[in-house]
Amino acid sequence: MEKKIAFIGTGVMGASIVKHLLKAGHSVTVYNRTKSKTEELVSLGAKWASTPAEASVDKDIIFTMVGYPKDVEEVYCGKEGILQEAAPGSIVVDMTTSEPTLAKKIYKRAKENGIHSIDAPVSGGDIGAKNGTLSIMVGGDHDIVQSIQSILETFGTNIVYQGEAGAGQHTKMCNQIVIASGMIGVCEAIAYGLKAGLTMEEVLKSISSGAAGSWSLSNLAPRILQGDLEPGFYIKHIIKDIGIAIDEAERMNLTLPGLQLAKELYVTLQEQGYGEKGTQALIKYYVE
Amino acid sequence: MEKKIAFIGTGVMGASIVKHLLKAGHSVTVYNRTKSKTEELVSLGAKWASTPAEASVDKDIIFTMVGYPKDVEEVYCGKEGILQEAAPGSIVVDMTTSEPTLAKKIYKRAKENGIHSIDAPVSGGDIGAKNGTLSIMVGGDHDIVQSIQSILETFGTNIVYQGEAGAGQHTKMCNQIVIASGMIGVCEAIAYGLKAGLTMEEVLKSISSGAAGSWSLSNLAPRILQGDLEPGFYIKHIIKDIGIAIDEAERMNLTLPGLQLAKELYVTLQEQGYGEKGTQALIKYYVE
């Protein structure tokens, strides 16, 4: 059934998702801080709104996919925010990778207005968004999540309900924690192998398919060897995510030394000017 | 063509490899410090020798797969060691995960006696050895490695030549470096998720197939969740391997903070009595 949808934050990933929603026949109203990033979508049939609040008027579902937790807070709770105008009974879905604690706060605030809130961060990157094959990690009320399952399926192939509000964000943090330490291992192995005089392309043939095997080793190690440090996922963004995970861990009295180390290494690289490079640029910590 | 082979070190993996060699029709003489571990092999047709030197008399190829670098040094260079008796023109193949520097030393010593030395550590564990599907990382003279290719194929499916003497061991170190930090990420994600109240089996459905995916996440994380800490690969052995890699890295003036951290965490666990458990017991550092 066609829905009236708002989509706040039409960056690279958001824009791809909007295209899937339009293609599926939904009515989509878009808002983006930089208006030019909505133009192509408008040409494809999306409506444009000048504020998140305006976009949210009379909608069934309001998606958000913005940058940082402070942006999430602003688009939901700000003066021209979603919760000013979203109708009772509507569903808000934040796909930004953001704070679990903030997801819970928005859930409560929304509930006070009779609005249902879901946190649904994704993994799969630009390509997953483009191909509609995102992994979507969903937190919130189960019946509400079920009610938008078919909408999520227009852009996701691995949609897993993780529990109450915040559980989607916590799951994304698990994802980032695995990635952060994993990348350290991949880069240290490459640094070691190069220093030992090995031909790393041959080393990868030996180690990629066994117990050391990982997505990073198969996909990012070859890019490192080709000198390609361009972002699939930005260092500045992994720093944001690691920061969120460390803060949440501290709230839970949990110390994660591997994640702490990852933060130190990535912050060092950002200070050296690599914030706009991909996470695989961690190799620069070890090799000139 | 059938070869006269000696095999020194018939532990779980060595015994499986000997069975493949016997099955392929080779004549195999075995030696093991604990004699009882050779009995099944003798019943299957292997000959028994009382010392590595005795086992090495009049052989084409002499394999070794023992515990620690000091054991490797002993079986090669000791009073009753291989190099005392191995014939000129024979080939020695060390499959122990051991020091690259020691592999180079043995290569030189062997060469002085007209013996060819190859380092060929493996990955794939007990199951890989049993099924004959090991990954074999090979260092040494290329023509000599080629001359035993068909023998290696009786128990390995991913046999990659990595370069001169020591390159096989260096490659195995790359493998272990990736695994060590990767396991930190997996265990920290599980610790975080459990503390956040997530159902980790559901979390794994969200994260195992994307950018966080790895062999460890797919194979060891489920065992952790089932409380199964039994060894696929022992903590005491990863500590040995990490120690070798750190020593070699230091020789090359390379600092690997992720690997250092892994060493600290695993040594802490060993001190708590987990040395005989599998590497996935790292979870005990975070969760009671």
Side-chain angles (χ1 to χ4, degrees):
Chain A
M1 206 175 74
E2 280 118 54
K3 296 281 183 184
K4 288 175 287 180
I5 292 174
F7 204 103
I8 315 295
T10 55
V12 175
M13 290 186 69
S16 288
I17 294 170
V18 169
K19 288 178 192 172
H20 289 293
L21 293 168
L22 287 169
K23 211 173 165 184
H26 301 293
S27 159
V28 185
T29 301
V30 293
Y31 165 80
N32 196 68
R33 203 159 49 183
T34 306
K35 189 183 169 181
S36 61
K37 291 186 183 172
T38 62
E39 284 167 5
E40 189 199 355
L41 299 171
V42 169
S43 78
L44 292 170
K47 290 164 202 156
W48 177 81
S50 64
T51 67
E54 186 188 315
S56 304
V57 174
D58 189 31
K59 296 297 185 301
D60 300 309
I61 307 169
I62 299 146
F63 285 102
T64 53
M65 194 167 211
V66 295
Y68 291 82
K70 66 175 169 45
D71 303 317
V72 173
E73 187 143 29
E74 179 70 21
V75 299
Y76 278 95
C77 307
K79 259 198 238 174
E80 297 177 321
I82 294 163
L83 297 182
Q84 296 288 335
E85 290 289 352
S90 64
I91 301 168
V92 297
V93 184
D94 185 29
M95 297 198 290
T96 318
T97 295
S98 173
E99 296 164 358
T101 305
L102 178 58
K104 288 177 199 172
K105 183 179 152 186
I106 289 170
Y107 175 87
K108 274 189 194 169
R109 286 260 190 108
K111 196 159 202 174
E112 288 163 11
N113 297 6
I115 299 163
H116 308 289
S117 176
I118 288 170
D119 50 300
V122 302
S123 74
D126 299 358
I127 293 168
K130 197 172 176 184
N131 296 340
T133 56
L134 291 169
S135 175
I136 314 179
M137 304 158 228
V138 194
D141 295 340
H142 192 227
D143 57 334
I144 301 300
V145 173
Q146 282 183 312
S147 76
I148 64 161
Q149 177 77 18
S150 65
I151 308 286
L152 298 179
E153 283 170 359
T154 62
F155 55 88
T157 46
N158 186 28
I159 302 158
V160 186
Y161 178 69
Q162 294 294 349
E164 62 186 21
Q169 294 296 352
H170 274 312
T171 300
K172 182 69 189 279
M173 289 302 118
C174 290
N175 191 72
Q176 305 304 73
I177 291 168
V178 173
I179 288 174
S181 281
M183 186 60 72
I184 294 175
V186 168
C187 288
E188 292 195 353
I190 293 174
Y192 176 101
L194 292 175
K195 199 98 176 185
L198 300 177
T199 304
M200 282 308 297
E201 288 80 2
E202 295 302 304
V203 173
L204 293 182
K205 286 183 197 165
S206 277
I207 73 174
S208 291
S209 57
S214 70
W215 188 93
S216 294
L217 196 64
S218 294
N219 291 276
L220 297 180
R223 289 197 213 164
I224 291 171
L225 299 181
Q226 290 154 19
D228 174 6
L229 303 182
E230 291 312 302
F233 192 69
Y234 287 104
I235 283 183
K236 64 182 179 183
H237 289 156
I238 194 89
I239 289 173
K240 173 196 82 163
D241 296 354
I242 293 172
I244 293 171
I246 288 177
D247 287 350
E248 295 282 339
E250 278 175 4
R251 279 193 197 102
M252 304 188 289
N253 290 314
L254 184 66
T255 304
L256 301 176
L259 193 62
Q260 288 281 3
L261 175 64
K263 184 180 177 185
E264 283 168 39
L265 300 183
Y266 276 120
V267 167
T268 300
L269 283 172
Q270 192 175 42
E271 288 166 358
Q272 294 172 354
Y274 290 105
E276 304 284 333
K277 295 295 180 184
T279 50
Q280 76 274 24
L282 180 60
I283 192 65
K284 288 292 179 186
Y285 183 85
Y286 303 95
V287 181
E288 282 308 302
Chain B
M1 208 177 71
E2 282 120 52
K3 297 282 185 184
K4 287 174 287 179
I5 294 175
F7 205 104
I8 315 296
T10 56
V12 175
M13 291 186 68
S16 289
I17 295 171
V18 169
K19 288 177 192 171
H20 289 294
L21 293 168
L22 287 169
K23 210 172 166 185
H26 301 293
S27 158
V28 185
T29 301
V30 294
Y31 166 81
N32 196 67
R33 205 160 44 186
T34 306
K35 189 182 171 184
S36 61
K37 291 188 182 170
T38 62
E39 285 166 6
E40 188 199 356
L41 299 170
V42 169
S43 78
L44 292 169
K47 290 165 202 155
W48 177 81
S50 64
T51 68
E54 185 188 316
S56 303
V57 173
D58 190 29
K59 296 297 184 301
D60 300 309
I61 308 168
I62 300 147
F63 286 102
T64 53
M65 194 167 209
V66 294
Y68 292 81
K70 65 176 168 46
D71 303 317
V72 173
E73 188 144 27
E74 180 69 20
V75 298
Y76 279 96
C77 307
K79 259 198 239 172
E80 297 177 324
I82 294 162
L83 297 182
Q84 297 288 335
E85 289 290 351
S90 64
I91 301 168
V92 297
V93 183
D94 184 31
M95 297 199 291
T96 319
T97 295
S98 172
E99 296 163 357
T101 304
L102 178 58
K104 288 177 199 170
K105 182 180 152 185
I106 289 170
Y107 175 87
K108 273 189 195 171
R109 286 260 190 108
K111 196 159 201 173
E112 288 164 12
N113 297 6
I115 299 163
H116 308 290
S117 175
I118 289 170
D119 50 299
V122 303
S123 76
D126 299 358
I127 294 168
K130 196 172 176 183
N131 296 339
T133 57
L134 292 168
S135 175
I136 312 179
M137 305 158 227
V138 193
D141 295 340
H142 192 229
D143 56 336
I144 301 299
V145 172
Q146 282 184 311
S147 75
I148 62 161
Q149 177 76 18
S150 65
I151 309 287
L152 298 178
E153 283 170 359
T154 62
F155 54 87
T157 47
N158 186 29
I159 302 158
V160 186
Y161 178 70
Q162 294 293 350
E164 62 188 21
Q169 294 296 351
H170 275 311
T171 300
K172 182 69 189 281
M173 290 301 116
C174 290
N175 191 71
Q176 304 307 72
I177 292 167
V178 173
I179 287 174
S181 281
M183 186 60 71
I184 294 175
V186 167
C187 287
E188 293 195 354
I190 293 174
Y192 176 102
L194 292 175
K195 199 98 178 183
L198 299 177
T199 304
M200 282 307 298
E201 288 80 2
E202 296 303 303
V203 173
L204 293 182
K205 287 182 196 166
S206 276
I207 73 175
S208 291
S209 57
S214 70
W215 186 94
S216 294
L217 196 64
S218 294
N219 291 278
L220 297 180
R223 290 197 212 165
I224 291 171
L225 300 180
Q226 289 156 20
D228 174 5
L229 303 183
E230 290 312 302
F233 191 67
Y234 286 104
I235 283 183
K236 65 182 179 182
H237 289 157
I238 193 91
I239 290 173
K240 173 198 83 164
D241 296 354
I242 293 172
I244 293 171
I246 288 177
D247 287 349
E248 293 283 338
E250 278 175 2
R251 279 193 198 102
M252 303 187 290
N253 290 313
L254 183 67
T255 305
L256 301 176
L259 193 63
Q260 288 281 1
L261 175 64
K263 185 181 176 183
E264 283 168 41
L265 300 183
Y266 276 119
V267 167
T268 300
L269 283 171
Q270 191 175 42
E271 287 166 0
Q272 294 172 353
Y274 290 105
E276 304 285 331
K277 295 295 180 184
T279 50
Q280 75 273 25
L282 180 60
I283 192 65
K284 289 291 178 185
Y285 183 86
Y286 303 96
V287 181
E288 283 307 301

